[in-house]
Amino acid sequence: MAILDIVSVPDPILRRKARKVTDFGKDFQMLVTNMIDTMRDAPGVGLAAPQVAVSQRLVVIEYAEDEDDELEEGAENSATPKKLYVLVNPEIVERSDEMVLGVEGCLSVPDLVGEVERHERITVKAFNRHGSPIKIKAEGWLARIFQHEIDHLEGIIYTDRTDKVWKPRDDEETPLD
Ligand code: NI
């Protein structure tokens, strides 16, 4: 297990279009494991390979579906299990017309958050860490995290998509990815 260094803006690797993964061998498996450990250590809800200075099309996401959705009064949320996603060469193949605003932060953009418009629902095609094809439908915050991470593979940072960025208040909690 290793915790990798997370690079921040203006590191140029964050602006590069990442290369497709073609080798799912031992080195790649090590990278996936280290990225999961790094995401958990940060802690973050997602991490894209360019954020650890590796220009490859790989993202890891770990998120409990209900984590930031509105809960009914008194609802018990602690039991919601987190789900881990490893997406290799991901591609968004369907996008809802419906757009939603939400507040995002990024582990590579310290001390800022911003309001970003994203598709409410998307369908992603990708490969898992062993190279098998997978297809995932996501909505709400999970769809937002996927869009944020896949943007990283194109060299896009959330601050490119909004003029509304600010330093978060101490009590303002935003998941980072
Ligand atoms: Ni990010």
Side-chain angles (χ1 to χ4, degrees):
M1 144 160 183
I3 305 301
L4 307 171
D5 288 334
I6 297 176
V7 300
S8 304
V9 288
D11 193 308
I13 198 153
L14 293 168
R15 292 310 194 172
R16 207 177 295 163
K17 189 176 156 81
R19 292 184 311 275
K20 272 198 171 171
V21 173
T22 54
D23 183 349
F24 291 79
K26 210 172 151 192
D27 289 350
F28 180 74
Q29 297 306 319
M30 180 75 79
L31 173 64
V32 172
T33 300
N34 289 342
M35 277 183 55
I36 293 167
D37 291 341
T38 303
M39 168 178 68
R40 288 173 175 167
D41 178 70
V45 293
L47 191 66
Q51 294 182 275
V52 293
V54 176
S55 195
Q56 293 193 34
R57 303 186 79 79
L58 162 66
V59 307
V60 297
I61 289 162
E62 190 167 51
Y63 185 71
E65 200 80 56
D66 290 336
E67 216 162 80
D68 283 279
D69 292 343
E70 286 166 50
L71 293 171
E72 286 171 43
E73 199 68 38
E76 183 53 72
N77 187 37
S78 59
T80 308
K82 288 190 176 182
K83 199 165 173 202
L84 176 67
Y85 301 87
V86 176
L87 304 185
V88 183
N89 301 336
E91 229 180 297
I92 300 175
V93 293
E94 282 170 33
R95 296 169 173 85
S96 66
D97 291 334
E98 187 189 348
M99 305 293 288
V100 281
L101 282 171
V103 178
E104 298 182 15
C106 180
L107 294 168
S108 295
V109 186
D111 303 322
L112 277 184
V113 294
E115 189 176 54
V116 187
E117 194 174 45
R118 300 285 189 185
H119 297 279
E120 166 67 6
R121 285 174 302 281
I122 58 167
T123 303
V124 179
K125 276 187 175 176
F127 296 89
N128 70 13
R129 67 186 292 172
H130 303 295
S132 302
I134 50 175
K135 190 176 177 182
I136 298 168
K137 285 180 191 285
E139 61 175 67
W141 270 99
L142 185 61
R144 173 172 298 276
I145 297 166
F146 281 0
Q147 290 167 82
H148 178 116
E149 295 311 331
I150 292 170
D151 268 355
H152 273 301
L153 305 181
E154 297 298 319
I156 298 167
I157 293 172
Y158 81 87
T159 50
D160 300 344
R161 297 196 180 275
T162 181
D163 294 325
K164 277 185 157 182
V165 293
W166 63 91
K167 277 186 183 295
R169 301 183 309 267
D170 288 345
D171 62 346
E172 196 170 14
E173 265 187 53
T174 303
L176 299 173
D177 45 9

